[in-house]
Amino acid sequence: MFSRFFINRPIFAAVLSIFITLGGGIALFTLPVAQYPDIAPPTVEVSAAYPGANARVVADTVAAPIEQQVNGVENMMYMSSQCTNDGNYALTVTFKPGADLNISQVLVQNRVSLAEPILPDLVKRRGIAVKKKSPHVLQIVNLYSPNDSRDNLYLSNFATIQLRDELSRLPGVGDVTYLGQRDYSMRLWLDPQKLAAYNLIPQDIIQAVTAQNIQVAAGQIGQPPAPNGQVFQYTMTTLGRLENTDQFGDIVLKNYNGSLVYMRDVANLELGAQSYDQTCTLNGQPSVALSIYQLPGSNALEVAQRVKERMKELQEYFPPGVDYSIVYDTTPFINESISQVGETLFDAILLVAVVVLVFLQNWRSTLIPLVAVPVAVVGTFAVMAMMGFSLNNLTLFGLVLAIGIVVDDAIVVVEAVEHHIEHGLAPRDATLKAMEQVSGPVLAIGLVLSAVFIPCAFISGIIGQFFRQFALTIAVSTIISAFNSLTLSPALAAILLRSRAKGSFERLPWLAFALIGAWLGHKIGIHWAAPALAALHLHAAPEWMEAIRFFGPIAAGALAMTLMGLVFGAPLNFMLGWSFRQFNRAFDYSTGVYTSAVSGLLRVSAVVLIVYGGLLALTWWGFTHTPTGF
């Protein structure tokens, strides 16, 4: 018998369960955290800019060549593009779910390279970006001036130099874009009348700036081969890129009637912003917003936390009149959602413990099924990590449902062992005999429940991506529970259970009161802990305040219930035993009523079958007539 090996070797059974639990516990810290499974198809974004062009020109000269080449790239589902009147172009290529995003990015980059030769020179000089990123914004960091001493131009330049690169280097950050970006640029405001007077056109101005605002290698004086006796060699340094309005004003445009025409003669020069198409303010104050995009597959909560920590470090080097604020953040909702489902998970464990205790009426018997819960639930995290799942609402909800399933196998084992103990067998002999009888049913339960959920793994498309994690999470926890019920549960039953008469009750240990108090302290104290700490005006680090807010009520509840159990343990256990006896009477009565009802229905079995057939027909009718939807 398979279980006899582990009954005779309980330490080995415990080591296997500990190994499963440790593997799941380690994997838990590596799982990405998200609100829902990553069902969004992978996307690659192509972006370019054509300054001065309107949307129609961008569509004809930039969008059309790129999209003709990118269209039909391998595993592409569809693509969408935007051309704006400020000269910006963005193409989003969406690939089939499951496509390798790195390969997809390379394929799109190759297609874009084919279109580059026919793009406008200005577009090629500014560059074409091909990036993989989540289509949704994770956070928006606003850089603003509290006292209005800095304008949008300064803030945008400061963000470009000091912040953008720092944030882009953080693990998990896919891209950082601007809202209200204003890069420094030399603006030449041309006077049409003066241009006409000197017989000049704007293209002449562009050619002059291009020719004279250039970085060149000026060469060397005295470079070999040189005459004999020359011992010095000089490297020439010339003015390359122009830096201020005076230097741009000295650009020579042409020779007009024997005199030189300079840039300052036909234009007003100003060091301003490259574009004024967007304006960003925060509470009426000048601002620039940095949109943080998450890298697909990364942990949203960890990425957001890294951004917050890095911004705190960078804030120390901010000049006077500059501050930042994170006014848009999607992670608190994700964190709260996951927290609520996690709390439901622990509530479900406690409710399962109460139900098991009420029916088995022995804390030793109750402990064995409860041990199966952390082994199956925590062990599932290891398989989730191997399958590439995330910690989201659906997987946690699946674990909540699995709690009621994973204890079933252990309850079957414990109930069978208790039955033989009540008939006079020793705990070890009762466990061996019970496992001979229930090993097959326990294995069958696990396989049948898994067979219900595993087919969901083969559902294709977005719906399959959505429900696959939910179904396989339950299936994996069920399989681990069945294995645990054939190994650890019988080993614990042989060690923990004691011979006892039917209907007898063993008093609860003090640890049970401590656990109940900790749970009550958390459920009650979570509402008044924060106001109480605020009223005390404690001066401590935020991390310590959060720890006190969370663990303080738990420790207080555990201590209070432990003292109550030590002082009033006898009367409480007496009341609990009396309650069990009343429950047994009511249960025996309801069992008798149920047995009588079944025996009565067996006499009119033909009528029962007709009613059952009618229910099946109603089920089919409801299934075919109920409105459907996504």
Side-chain angles (χ1 to χ4, degrees):
M1 184 177 61
F2 178 77
S3 297
R4 179 186 292 272
F5 177 85
F6 296 98
I7 295 173
N8 295 330
R9 298 167 180 83
I11 296 178
F12 183 66
V15 168
L16 288 179
S17 297
I18 292 173
F19 178 77
I20 294 173
T21 306
L22 285 178
I26 295 173
L28 175 61
F29 296 99
T30 64
L31 289 174
V33 180
Q35 186 179 2
Y36 295 110
D38 188 14
I39 62 173
T43 58
V44 174
E45 183 183 84
V46 181
S47 59
Y50 193 178
N54 58 30
R56 173 58 63 184
V57 173
V58 173
D60 294 338
T61 60
V62 181
I66 291 178
E67 292 172 15
Q68 287 175 1
Q69 296 294 338
V70 173
N71 187 32
V73 69
E74 185 178 352
N75 290 326
M76 186 191 82
M77 291 176 60
Y78 56 87
M79 62 183 183
S80 60
S81 63
Q82 283 185 333
C83 301
T84 59
N85 280 325
D86 59 357
N88 288 321
Y89 168 70
L91 170 66
T92 301
V93 185
T94 304
F95 292 86
K96 295 178 181 179
D100 190 327
L101 195 56
N102 295 316
I103 299 298
S104 301
Q105 182 187 16
V106 173
L107 293 176
V108 173
Q109 180 69 62
N110 293 340
R111 295 294 187 96
V112 171
S113 300
L114 297 177
E116 283 190 16
I118 57 177
L119 295 178
D121 292 336
L122 185 57
V123 176
K124 291 188 287 187
R125 286 203 302 268
R126 293 181 62 88
I128 304 171
V130 180
K131 295 183 178 181
K132 54 180 180 180
K133 68 177 184 181
S134 173
H136 305 294
V137 178
L138 178 68
Q139 286 178 317
I140 294 181
V141 180
N142 276 80
L143 196 69
Y144 68 100
S145 178
N147 54 9
D148 294 336
S149 61
R150 310 289 184 176
D151 58 6
N152 297 76
L153 184 58
Y154 178 90
L155 295 173
S156 177
N157 183 67
F158 182 81
T160 301
I161 298 175
Q162 302 293 340
L163 301 183
R164 183 175 184 177
D165 292 341
E166 294 288 343
L167 297 179
S168 299
R169 284 195 292 265
L170 294 177
V173 174
D175 192 14
V176 179
T177 61
Y178 287 98
L179 294 175
Q181 181 179 11
R182 292 187 178 179
D183 294 332
Y184 275 114
S185 177
M186 186 62 66
R187 302 189 68 87
L188 310 178
W189 302 96
L190 302 179
D191 188 330
Q193 295 181 351
K194 292 182 178 179
L195 287 177
Y198 291 110
N199 196 22
L200 292 170
I201 60 175
Q203 188 62 33
D204 296 329
I205 308 299
I206 295 175
Q207 292 177 356
V209 172
T210 303
Q212 300 178 47
N213 181 34
I214 186 173
Q215 193 74 41
V216 296
Q220 296 176 341
I221 296 178
Q223 185 177 5
N228 294 331
Q230 180 176 323
V231 295
F232 294 103
Q233 179 176 325
Y234 300 95
T235 300
M236 299 295 295
T237 301
T238 61
L239 177 63
R241 292 283 184 180
L242 307 181
E243 299 178 352
N244 52 52
T245 56
D246 293 335
Q247 293 175 354
F248 273 89
D250 291 336
I251 292 178
V252 178
L253 298 180
K254 67 181 299 186
N255 186 332
Y256 184 76
N257 293 333
S259 61
L260 298 178
V261 179
Y262 296 95
M263 181 70 71
R264 59 175 175 268
D265 297 329
V266 298
N268 293 324
L269 293 87
E270 174 192 8
L271 183 61
Q274 182 177 5
S275 173
Y276 291 89
D277 296 319
Q278 292 182 350
T279 299
C280 182
T281 59
L282 179 63
N283 297 327
Q285 297 169 330
S287 173
V288 61
L290 287 79
S291 300
I292 311 296
Y293 290 87
Q294 178 187 354
L295 197 65
S298 59
N299 189 319
L301 297 181
E302 291 184 358
V303 174
Q305 186 61 31
R306 293 191 192 107
V307 171
K308 294 176 182 177
E309 293 175 355
R310 188 57 181 151
M311 286 303 302
K312 287 183 179 178
E313 296 174 0
L314 295 174
Q315 189 181 22
E316 299 178 1
Y317 304 99
F318 283 6
V322 177
D323 201 356
Y324 83 95
S325 176
I326 301 178
V327 296
Y328 178 81
D329 190 355
T330 60
T331 56
F333 181 78
I334 298 174
N335 197 19
E336 187 65 21
S337 179
I338 297 296
S339 176
Q340 289 296 324
V341 179
E343 191 163 326
T344 304
L345 185 66
F346 287 102
D347 293 346
I349 294 174
L350 183 66
L351 292 175
V352 167
V354 172
V355 173
V356 173
L357 179 62
V358 168
F359 279 89
L360 298 182
Q361 299 176 6
N362 182 0
W363 69 267
R364 295 178 183 272
S365 302
T366 304
L367 187 62
I368 296 173
L370 289 182
V371 171
V373 174
V375 175
V377 171
V378 179
T380 304
F381 293 139
V383 183
M384 288 172 58
M386 289 188 292
M387 292 183 175
F389 292 174
S390 63
L391 204 62
N392 54 70
N393 284 342
L394 284 182
T395 52
L396 289 178
F397 181 57
L399 292 178
V400 172
L401 296 181
I403 289 175
I405 298 175
V406 299
V407 297
D408 285 347
D409 298 336
I411 290 175
V412 170
V413 172
V414 173
E415 181 61 28
V417 174
E418 286 278 4
H419 172 75
H420 292 295
I421 288 178
E422 291 175 355
H423 285 76
L425 291 180
R428 186 178 183 279
D429 297 333
T431 303
L432 290 172
K433 188 169 184 179
M435 293 310 298
E436 291 176 357
Q437 298 172 348
V438 302
S439 292
V442 167
L443 184 60
I445 291 173
L447 294 179
V448 169
L449 289 175
S450 300
V452 173
F453 295 102
I454 288 179
C456 293
F458 302 100
I459 300 176
S460 60
I462 294 179
I463 296 178
Q465 290 281 99
F466 199 80
F467 290 107
R468 185 174 299 134
Q469 298 190 19
F470 170 77
L472 291 183
T473 298
I474 299 178
V476 169
S477 61
T478 302
I479 294 174
I480 295 177
S481 171
F483 175 79
N484 190 72
S485 298
L486 295 175
T487 56
L488 183 63
S489 294
L492 291 178
I495 296 175
L496 292 179
L497 297 184
R498 299 288 183 265
S499 300
R500 66 187 183 98
K502 184 176 182 179
S504 61
F505 169 67
E506 185 177 358
R507 60 178 294 170
L508 293 177
W510 66 270
L511 183 60
F513 292 100
L515 295 176
I516 295 173
W519 180 78
L520 291 176
H522 173 67
K523 301 302 290 185
I524 298 173
I526 195 173
H527 301 290
W528 57 261
L533 289 176
L536 293 175
H537 300 290
L538 297 178
H539 298 285
E543 294 79 8
W544 283 101
M545 296 295 292
E546 181 64 21
I548 294 173
R549 186 195 68 82
F550 183 80
F551 292 105
I554 295 177
L559 180 60
M561 284 300 295
T562 301
L563 295 176
M564 185 178 295
L566 293 176
V567 177
F568 303 103
L572 288 175
N573 280 285
F574 175 78
M575 292 178 60
L576 196 58
W578 178 84
S579 300
F580 287 157
R581 288 190 292 272
Q582 300 304 316
F583 173 80
N584 290 337
R585 291 193 185 98
F587 185 76
D588 292 340
Y589 175 76
S590 60
T591 302
V593 173
Y594 173 75
T595 304
S596 301
V598 171
S599 61
L601 292 175
L602 289 176
R603 298 187 183 95
V604 288
S605 56
V607 177
V608 174
L609 290 176
I610 293 173
V611 173
Y612 181 71
L615 293 175
L616 290 178
L618 287 175
T619 302
W620 177 83
W621 182 88
F623 184 77
T624 56
H625 289 77
T626 301
T628 59
F630 177 75

